[in-house]
């Protein structure tokens, strides 16, 4: 295949939607997106193969959709394609990118996910510039094989972020960001050349490769009933929240920004939930080590109660890792071992 041969996979999302008076609908925009993609390819002289994987809102995607997409990407790479772009909705793009990073890390291809904040027919649409920059990025020789997001910020510059550094889009953000601002480089605009980031910016390293062939439908079903997420809020009744959870489940606790969570030892507290359900595995994430080199005593009290406290690895990444791990039959201890370098240990273990 030539250097400018690209395979583009569409999955739906806002980038593949159309706008009506009532709503933004994914069922109306797929053909328009394909026409726009082909127009860009013709203008740039790229050989482009478009493959519709599915056509869904990203908020409706489930782990089975990750698996279907991973299988599609693996087959395309096996045929020798080194340049792959995936259009995807913004709501769950970080989850899909993480799953691809875990399963496709060894492929000799640049896999670039992109999307849009506005649909193609919106006057403020960012579809064309995001598409063009993602297509350029997947053929950029300075970018090593791997899984990335390419998304333009509000100034029009396309940030290229490694999948495992991506933060889910915030409610008031019209762009994706990297954990601690990490990126490998950018295009200032759709016509510019690639600008590598300054050296010395460490990237997240999480070694948990998954063989897609080992993922079973029954395993995915089991994972969906064994992983729960809990967001911290003042006065939370953690005991009641955990009362109905099945044995041996994982509970991912989203703490406050400094890695803290309610630590008062009252009858309904998180500490009581952790101590009262030793059959559950509580994973508290993330503690931002770049800013919090010493955890708060409140965080350590939860560790003392039996929880696992993790620095830097984000909750959505824990969810994906646990989901894929359970779906492949990986033992809980093995999954926790993969996270060991991120864990803040109990005092007696330090």
């Amino acid at each position: 295949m030539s250097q400018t041969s690209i395979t583009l996979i569409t999955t739906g999302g806002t980038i593949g939607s159309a706008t009506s008076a009532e709503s933004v609908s994914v069922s109306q925009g797929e053909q328009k997106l394909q026409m726009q993609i082909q127009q860009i390819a013709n203008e740039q002289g790229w050989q482009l193969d478009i493959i519709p994987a599915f056509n869904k809102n990203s908020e409706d995607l489930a782990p089975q959709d990750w698996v279907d997409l991973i299988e599609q990407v693996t087959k395309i790479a096996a045929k020798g394609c080194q340049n792959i772009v995936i259009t995807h909705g913004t709501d769950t793009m970080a989850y899909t990118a993480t799953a691809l990073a875990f399963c496709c890390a060894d492929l000799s291809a640049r896999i670039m996910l992109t999307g849009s904040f506005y649909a193609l027919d919106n006057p403020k649409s960012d579809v064309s510039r995001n598409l063009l920059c993602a297509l350029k990025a997947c053929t950029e020789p300075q970018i090593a094989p791997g899984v990335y997001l390419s998304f333009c910020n509000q100034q029009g510059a396309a940030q290229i972020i490694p999948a495992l550094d991506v933060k889910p889009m915030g409610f008031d953000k019209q762009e994706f960001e990297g954990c601690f601002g990490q990126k490998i480089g950018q295009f200032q605009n759709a016509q510019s050349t690639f600008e590598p980031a300054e050296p010395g910016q460490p990237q997240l390293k999480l070694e948990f490769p998954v063989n897609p062939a080992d993922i079973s439908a029954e395993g995915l079903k089991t994972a969906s009933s064994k992983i729960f997420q809990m967001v911290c809020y003042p006065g939370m009744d953690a005991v009641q929240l955990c009362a109905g959870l099945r044995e041996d489940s994982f509970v991912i606790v989203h703490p406050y920004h400094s890695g803290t969570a309610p630590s008062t030892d009252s009858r309904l507290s998180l500490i009581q939930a952790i101590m009262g359900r030793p059959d559950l595995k509580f994973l508290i994430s993330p503690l931002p080590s770049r800013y919090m080199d010493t955890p708060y005593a409140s965080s350590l009290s939860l560790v003392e109660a039996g929880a696992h406290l993790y620095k830097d690895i984000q909750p959505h990444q824990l969810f994906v890792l646990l989901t894929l791990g359970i779906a492949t039959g990986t033992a809980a201890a093995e999954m926790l071992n993969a996270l060991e370098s991120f864990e803040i240990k109990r005092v007696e273990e330090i």
Side-chain angles (χ1 to χ4, degrees):
M1 284 190 176
S2 67
Q3 184 67 22
T4 53
S5 177
I6 304 169
T7 298
L8 189 145
I9 304 172
T10 62
T11 67
T14 299
I15 192 170
S17 295
T19 307
S20 69
E22 295 82 20
S23 65
V24 178
S25 173
V26 75
S27 63
Q28 303 296 321
E30 184 175 17
Q31 186 175 2
K32 290 181 180 180
L33 176 64
Q34 291 196 17
M35 291 173 61
Q36 182 68 14
I37 293 167
Q38 197 58 62
Q39 179 181 333
I40 290 173
N42 292 342
E43 290 172 353
Q44 299 295 321
W46 288 325
Q47 178 187 331
L48 191 61
D49 186 19
I50 304 173
I51 300 176
F54 41 80
N55 192 42
K56 297 182 179 182
N57 295 311
S58 71
E59 61 267 30
D60 294 331
L61 297 188
Q64 182 60 57
D65 296 303
W66 307 341
V67 176
D68 294 343
L69 190 55
I70 288 163
E71 290 177 353
Q72 188 79 263
V73 167
T74 302
K75 288 178 182 177
I76 292 167
K79 294 178 181 178
C81 182
Q82 298 180 335
N83 312 309
I84 301 172
V85 171
I86 301 169
T87 60
H88 196 289
T90 56
D91 284 347
T92 60
M93 189 186 295
Y95 290 83
T96 301
T98 300
L100 284 163
F102 286 147
C103 293
C104 303
D106 294 332
L107 300 180
S108 58
R110 281 180 291 269
I111 303 163
M112 205 69 55
L113 288 89
T114 195
S116 69
F117 195 77
Y118 296 103
L120 185 60
D121 54 8
N122 188 298
K124 296 184 285 187
S125 177
D126 51 340
V127 170
S128 295
R129 68 185 187 189
N130 282 333
L131 269 176
L132 180 55
C133 288
L135 289 163
K136 289 179 66 173
C138 81
T139 63
E140 172 55 56
Q142 295 184 76
I143 299 176
V147 183
Y148 305 91
L149 257 69
S150 172
F151 209 91
C152 291
N153 62 20
Q154 290 174 286
Q155 290 72 47
Q159 313 288 304
I160 312 302
I161 309 169
L164 291 182
D165 281 324
V166 172
K167 293 166 57 179
M169 186 179 284
F171 86 98
D172 62 343
K173 295 286 186 181
Q174 297 182 12
E175 60 195 65
F176 282 94
E177 296 178 335
C179 187
F180 301 139
Q182 303 306 327
K183 62 182 181 180
I184 62 165
Q186 67 179 15
F187 295 92
Q188 284 290 348
N189 54 58
Q191 287 74 43
S192 66
T193 57
F194 182 67
E195 299 175 2
E198 292 293 325
Q201 296 185 3
Q203 296 174 10
L204 176 66
K205 300 295 182 185
L206 180 57
E207 301 297 333
F208 189 73
V210 177
N211 183 354
D214 294 335
I215 299 173
S216 70
E218 186 59 35
L220 288 173
K221 183 178 178 181
T222 300
S224 69
S225 64
K226 290 193 67 174
I227 307 172
F228 301 89
Q229 303 198 54
M230 178 189 299
V231 178
C232 291
Y233 56 90
M236 62 189 293
D237 182 348
V239 171
Q240 181 66 24
L241 288 171
C242 296
L245 302 187
R246 61 180 285 184
E247 265 185 58
D248 299 323
S249 293
F250 293 90
V251 182
I252 301 171
V253 181
H254 296 231
Y256 299 122
H257 78 99
S258 56
T260 60
S263 61
T264 303
D265 189 7
S266 63
R267 184 172 60 88
L268 304 176
S269 67
L270 182 56
I271 281 185
Q272 284 300 317
I274 295 168
M275 295 178 65
R277 291 294 306 269
D279 59 304
L280 302 179
K281 298 173 183 64
F282 289 84
L283 282 62
I284 302 175
S285 166
L287 172 74
S289 66
R290 182 172 179 175
Y291 308 112
M292 300 298 304
D293 53 357
T294 303
Y296 280 91
S298 58
S299 300
L300 293 180
S301 68
L302 299 173
V303 174
E304 290 298 315
H308 299 271
L309 174 65
Y310 294 102
K311 59 184 179 182
D312 302 338
I313 185 168
Q314 301 174 77
H316 76 277
Q317 295 169 332
L318 285 179
F319 174 74
V320 174
L321 181 147
L322 295 174
T323 298
L324 295 176
I326 292 172
T328 55
T330 304
E334 187 175 342
M335 289 186 282
L336 294 178
N337 284 341
L339 296 166
E340 194 169 14
S341 63
F342 297 90
E343 186 170 4
I344 305 298
K345 296 288 188 178
R346 292 182 176 89
V347 174
E348 62 266 23
E349 296 176 331
I350 298 176

